[in-house]
Amino acid sequence: MKVAVVVQRYGLDINGGAELHARYISEHLARHVEVEVLTTCARDYITWRNELRAGDERVNGLVVRRFPVRRQRDPLEFGRRSTRVFSTVHSLRDELAWLDAEGPNSPALVSFIRKRRREYDYFVFFSFRYYHAYHGARVAPAQALLVPTAERDAAVGLSMFGPLFRGVRALMYNSYEERAMINAAAQNADVPGIVVGVGSEVPARTRPDRFRRKYGIDGPFVAYVGRIDENKGCKELFDYFEQYCRFVRGDLMLVLIGKPVLPIPDHPRIRHLGFVSDQDKFDAVAAADALIMPSYFESLSMVALEAWGLGTPVLANGRCDVLKGQCIRSNAGLYYESFEEFLETLALLQSDRMVRRGLGENGRAFFVRHYAWPVIERAYVDMFERLKQAERAGPPTGQMEPLPGWFARFRSNLPPAKGVVEALPSGPSLKRERRG
């Protein structure tokens, strides 16, 4: 069996989000099937500028085929088009123009899929909201599996994505909350799908003491790992933690690991380490009293899964349905929805070693049961086999709904996407599936 993983960026130096997710899945699926990667020449997710050479190369043993991006993103144009489709009544043409402006716009990649689709059994598309996934799945719907990586943001409410969610062969969801949201938005519960997520390269052993010596951290601390950005909830985290320090005596520190795109407060109990090696990151999380996840929008937090894999509890923003649901299902984290709850939950984690230990042990068991690599790999292989079995019984019945005619695309009759998402059911989804 030959599978192509199709993703917006790919490389060893692209170490976060859906792109890292796609690389992990590609490398682990290669143990079971032949895998190639189809991607763009872009390295930067803001400009989508062509920085890498077009053509074929090998990355960690896998064939990676790169295709050029037709044009860089114009932030002003993308901002204007986003305002129109998210906040006003608009047309399908407006949505298609938004997708084109968002990028990475690579007709060459889509053309390759169209011309060479018979060389592959399946295409696994990452990230529903990008050009390559939308147009690529439309030219090979009978072979398309979609990993949506969908957060609860306005893009889910765009009308153009309903046919995509209904027309692919299968969906590999990151969380129960993501699946419930997409099912409600697209009415696609009859499309084969499973909540699978992603594993992580958690080391068998960590050295917390080495990390403390290297960075001169002696006392207790909580860690944040990721892009230091207001969109990740960091501005609120800084405000909450500074207030916490005024209310609670002690020497608890907030240690930040990641690239800042937001000013970091000059505070004696906030320490920024910048970008660190994977070994330092894992040692830091293992040494921390807890990992803090302040984001409002996640489809799945890989760093939270890594914390649980290392036996470290998580303190999460409870206004993110996915994070709250994961904390409840794992019984390995606490969550807050206000400063008062942040104060109480963090104080409990700081003061009660037995609570930390119990949550950490639950997290480790949760990770092994649901996110160890053999479990993730088996879920993908089982889905491929399930689809192959269905094909032996007859040709695939699912078809991608065609785009409306030219005049219909100009008709301004589509609702603001923000309003569509706001009307969707919210809250953690506590339904479970047996896996592993």
PDB file of all heavy atoms in Angstrom, residues 390-406:
ATOM      1  N   ALA A 390     -14.128  -2.063   2.295  1.00  0.00           N
ATOM      2  CA  ALA A 390     -15.329  -1.481   1.699  1.00  0.00           C
ATOM      3  C   ALA A 390     -15.201  -1.407   0.183  1.00  0.00           C
ATOM      4  O   ALA A 390     -16.172  -1.624  -0.551  1.00  0.00           O
ATOM      5  CB  ALA A 390     -15.583  -0.094   2.282  1.00  0.00           C
ATOM      6  N   GLU A 391     -13.989  -1.117  -0.317  1.00  0.00           N
ATOM      7  CA  GLU A 391     -13.780  -1.041  -1.760  1.00  0.00           C
ATOM      8  C   GLU A 391     -13.929  -2.408  -2.422  1.00  0.00           C
ATOM      9  O   GLU A 391     -14.402  -2.507  -3.559  1.00  0.00           O
ATOM     10  CB  GLU A 391     -12.391  -0.459  -2.047  1.00  0.00           C
ATOM     11  CG  GLU A 391     -12.277   1.021  -1.694  1.00  0.00           C
ATOM     12  CD  GLU A 391     -10.835   1.494  -1.648  1.00  0.00           C
ATOM     13  OE1 GLU A 391      -9.959   0.751  -2.152  1.00  0.00           O
ATOM     14  OE2 GLU A 391     -10.582   2.576  -1.096  1.00  0.00           O
ATOM     15  N   ARG A 392     -13.522  -3.452  -1.717  1.00  0.00           N
ATOM     16  CA  ARG A 392     -13.674  -4.797  -2.284  1.00  0.00           C
ATOM     17  C   ARG A 392     -15.137  -5.176  -2.433  1.00  0.00           C
ATOM     18  O   ARG A 392     -15.496  -5.997  -3.289  1.00  0.00           O
ATOM     19  CB  ARG A 392     -12.940  -5.814  -1.409  1.00  0.00           C
ATOM     20  CG  ARG A 392     -11.423  -5.754  -1.563  1.00  0.00           C
ATOM     21  CD  ARG A 392     -10.759  -6.939  -0.899  1.00  0.00           C
ATOM     22  NE  ARG A 392     -10.768  -6.816   0.551  1.00  0.00           N
ATOM     23  CZ  ARG A 392      -9.804  -6.257   1.259  1.00  0.00           C
ATOM     24  NH1 ARG A 392      -8.745  -5.732   0.653  1.00  0.00           N
ATOM     25  NH2 ARG A 392      -9.874  -6.207   2.572  1.00  0.00           N
ATOM     26  N   ALA A 393     -15.991  -4.577  -1.602  1.00  0.00           N
ATOM     27  CA  ALA A 393     -17.423  -4.845  -1.690  1.00  0.00           C
ATOM     28  C   ALA A 393     -18.095  -4.027  -2.782  1.00  0.00           C
ATOM     29  O   ALA A 393     -19.238  -4.284  -3.152  1.00  0.00           O
ATOM     30  CB  ALA A 393     -18.096  -4.562  -0.356  1.00  0.00           C
ATOM     31  N   GLY A 394     -17.400  -3.032  -3.304  1.00  0.00           N
ATOM     32  CA  GLY A 394     -17.959  -2.173  -4.346  1.00  0.00           C
ATOM     33  C   GLY A 394     -17.226  -0.861  -4.377  1.00  0.00           C
ATOM     34  O   GLY A 394     -16.503  -0.518  -3.432  1.00  0.00           O
ATOM     35  N   PRO A 395     -17.373  -0.082  -5.446  1.00  0.00           N
ATOM     36  CA  PRO A 395     -16.660   1.193  -5.550  1.00  0.00           C
ATOM     37  C   PRO A 395     -17.117   2.146  -4.457  1.00  0.00           C
ATOM     38  O   PRO A 395     -18.239   2.053  -3.955  1.00  0.00           O
ATOM     39  CB  PRO A 395     -17.050   1.720  -6.940  1.00  0.00           C
ATOM     40  CG  PRO A 395     -18.334   1.021  -7.256  1.00  0.00           C
ATOM     41  CD  PRO A 395     -18.259  -0.321  -6.594  1.00  0.00           C
ATOM     42  N   PRO A 396     -16.257   3.087  -4.044  1.00  0.00           N
ATOM     43  CA  PRO A 396     -16.646   4.066  -3.025  1.00  0.00           C
ATOM     44  C   PRO A 396     -17.906   4.817  -3.428  1.00  0.00           C
ATOM     45  O   PRO A 396     -18.063   5.236  -4.575  1.00  0.00           O
ATOM     46  CB  PRO A 396     -15.439   5.011  -2.967  1.00  0.00           C
ATOM     47  CG  PRO A 396     -14.296   4.218  -3.515  1.00  0.00           C
ATOM     48  CD  PRO A 396     -14.891   3.291  -4.534  1.00  0.00           C
ATOM     49  N   THR A 397     -18.829   4.945  -2.462  1.00  0.00           N
ATOM     50  CA  THR A 397     -20.099   5.609  -2.755  1.00  0.00           C
ATOM     51  C   THR A 397     -20.036   7.109  -2.526  1.00  0.00           C
ATOM     52  O   THR A 397     -20.819   7.862  -3.089  1.00  0.00           O
ATOM     53  CB  THR A 397     -21.213   5.020  -1.871  1.00  0.00           C
ATOM     54  OG1 THR A 397     -20.825   5.140  -0.494  1.00  0.00           O
ATOM     55  CG2 THR A 397     -21.432   3.553  -2.198  1.00  0.00           C
ATOM     56  N   GLY A 398     -19.117   7.569  -1.669  1.00  0.00           N
ATOM     57  CA  GLY A 398     -19.054   8.994  -1.361  1.00  0.00           C
ATOM     58  C   GLY A 398     -18.556   9.808  -2.541  1.00  0.00           C
ATOM     59  O   GLY A 398     -17.649   9.395  -3.250  1.00  0.00           O
ATOM     60  N   GLN A 399     -19.157  10.932  -2.779  1.00  0.00           N
ATOM     61  CA  GLN A 399     -18.756  11.835  -3.850  1.00  0.00           C
ATOM     62  C   GLN A 399     -18.679  13.251  -3.294  1.00  0.00           C
ATOM     63  O   GLN A 399     -19.494  13.655  -2.473  1.00  0.00           O
ATOM     64  CB  GLN A 399     -19.764  11.787  -5.007  1.00  0.00           C
ATOM     65  CG  GLN A 399     -19.861  10.430  -5.697  1.00  0.00           C
ATOM     66  CD  GLN A 399     -18.605  10.086  -6.472  1.00  0.00           C
ATOM     67  OE1 GLN A 399     -17.916  10.968  -6.976  1.00  0.00           O
ATOM     68  NE2 GLN A 399     -18.301   8.797  -6.557  1.00  0.00           N
ATOM     69  N   MET A 400     -17.686  14.014  -3.757  1.00  0.00           N
ATOM     70  CA  MET A 400     -17.572  15.405  -3.367  1.00  0.00           C
ATOM     71  C   MET A 400     -18.645  16.224  -4.084  1.00  0.00           C
ATOM     72  O   MET A 400     -18.822  16.099  -5.301  1.00  0.00           O
ATOM     73  CB  MET A 400     -16.192  15.942  -3.724  1.00  0.00           C
ATOM     74  CG  MET A 400     -15.856  17.269  -3.086  1.00  0.00           C
ATOM     75  SD  MET A 400     -15.468  17.171  -1.329  1.00  0.00           S
ATOM     76  CE  MET A 400     -13.907  16.281  -1.327  1.00  0.00           C
ATOM     77  N   GLU A 401     -19.386  17.004  -3.326  1.00  0.00           N
ATOM     78  CA  GLU A 401     -20.425  17.842  -3.932  1.00  0.00           C
ATOM     79  C   GLU A 401     -19.771  18.844  -4.876  1.00  0.00           C
ATOM     80  O   GLU A 401     -18.804  19.499  -4.518  1.00  0.00           O
ATOM     81  CB  GLU A 401     -21.194  18.576  -2.833  1.00  0.00           C
ATOM     82  CG  GLU A 401     -21.885  17.651  -1.843  1.00  0.00           C
ATOM     83  CD  GLU A 401     -22.276  18.367  -0.558  1.00  0.00           C
ATOM     84  OE1 GLU A 401     -22.546  19.587  -0.628  1.00  0.00           O
ATOM     85  OE2 GLU A 401     -22.295  17.717   0.500  1.00  0.00           O
ATOM     86  N   PRO A 402     -20.287  18.988  -6.100  1.00  0.00           N
ATOM     87  CA  PRO A 402     -19.665  19.920  -7.042  1.00  0.00           C
ATOM     88  C   PRO A 402     -19.854  21.364  -6.611  1.00  0.00           C
ATOM     89  O   PRO A 402     -20.815  21.703  -5.914  1.00  0.00           O
ATOM     90  CB  PRO A 402     -20.400  19.635  -8.359  1.00  0.00           C
ATOM     91  CG  PRO A 402     -21.725  19.083  -7.934  1.00  0.00           C
ATOM     92  CD  PRO A 402     -21.470  18.310  -6.670  1.00  0.00           C
ATOM     93  N   LEU A 403     -18.924  22.205  -7.019  1.00  0.00           N
ATOM     94  CA  LEU A 403     -19.084  23.637  -6.762  1.00  0.00           C
ATOM     95  C   LEU A 403     -20.253  24.182  -7.567  1.00  0.00           C
ATOM     96  O   LEU A 403     -20.515  23.730  -8.684  1.00  0.00           O
ATOM     97  CB  LEU A 403     -17.806  24.381  -7.144  1.00  0.00           C
ATOM     98  CG  LEU A 403     -16.598  24.222  -6.209  1.00  0.00           C
ATOM     99  CD1 LEU A 403     -15.360  24.827  -6.847  1.00  0.00           C
ATOM    100  CD2 LEU A 403     -16.871  24.877  -4.867  1.00  0.00           C
ATOM    101  N   PRO A 404     -20.996  25.150  -7.024  1.00  0.00           N
ATOM    102  CA  PRO A 404     -22.081  25.771  -7.790  1.00  0.00           C
ATOM    103  C   PRO A 404     -21.547  26.445  -9.051  1.00  0.00           C
ATOM    104  O   PRO A 404     -20.337  26.680  -9.192  1.00  0.00           O
ATOM    105  CB  PRO A 404     -22.652  26.809  -6.811  1.00  0.00           C
ATOM    106  CG  PRO A 404     -22.198  26.374  -5.467  1.00  0.00           C
ATOM    107  CD  PRO A 404     -20.874  25.695  -5.669  1.00  0.00           C
ATOM    108  N   GLY A 405     -22.440  26.762  -9.967  1.00  0.00           N
ATOM    109  CA  GLY A 405     -22.052  27.430 -11.195  1.00  0.00           C
ATOM    110  C   GLY A 405     -21.493  28.818 -10.949  1.00  0.00           C
ATOM    111  O   GLY A 405     -21.557  29.363  -9.840  1.00  0.00           O
ATOM    112  N   TRP A 406     -20.961  29.403 -12.017  1.00  0.00           N
ATOM    113  CA  TRP A 406     -20.256  30.682 -11.900  1.00  0.00           C
ATOM    114  C   TRP A 406     -21.125  31.775 -11.302  1.00  0.00           C
ATOM    115  O   TRP A 406     -20.695  32.474 -10.386  1.00  0.00           O
ATOM    116  CB  TRP A 406     -19.757  31.077 -13.294  1.00  0.00           C
ATOM    117  CG  TRP A 406     -18.798  32.227 -13.284  1.00  0.00           C
ATOM    118  CD1 TRP A 406     -17.456  32.177 -13.059  1.00  0.00           C
ATOM    119  CD2 TRP A 406     -19.109  33.605 -13.511  1.00  0.00           C
ATOM    120  NE1 TRP A 406     -16.904  33.430 -13.141  1.00  0.00           N
ATOM    121  CE2 TRP A 406     -17.901  34.333 -13.412  1.00  0.00           C
ATOM    122  CE3 TRP A 406     -20.296  34.298 -13.785  1.00  0.00           C
ATOM    123  CZ2 TRP A 406     -17.839  35.709 -13.584  1.00  0.00           C
ATOM    124  CZ3 TRP A 406     -20.231  35.671 -13.966  1.00  0.00           C
ATOM    125  CH2 TRP A 406     -19.022  36.365 -13.858  1.00  0.00           C
TER     126      TRP A 406
END
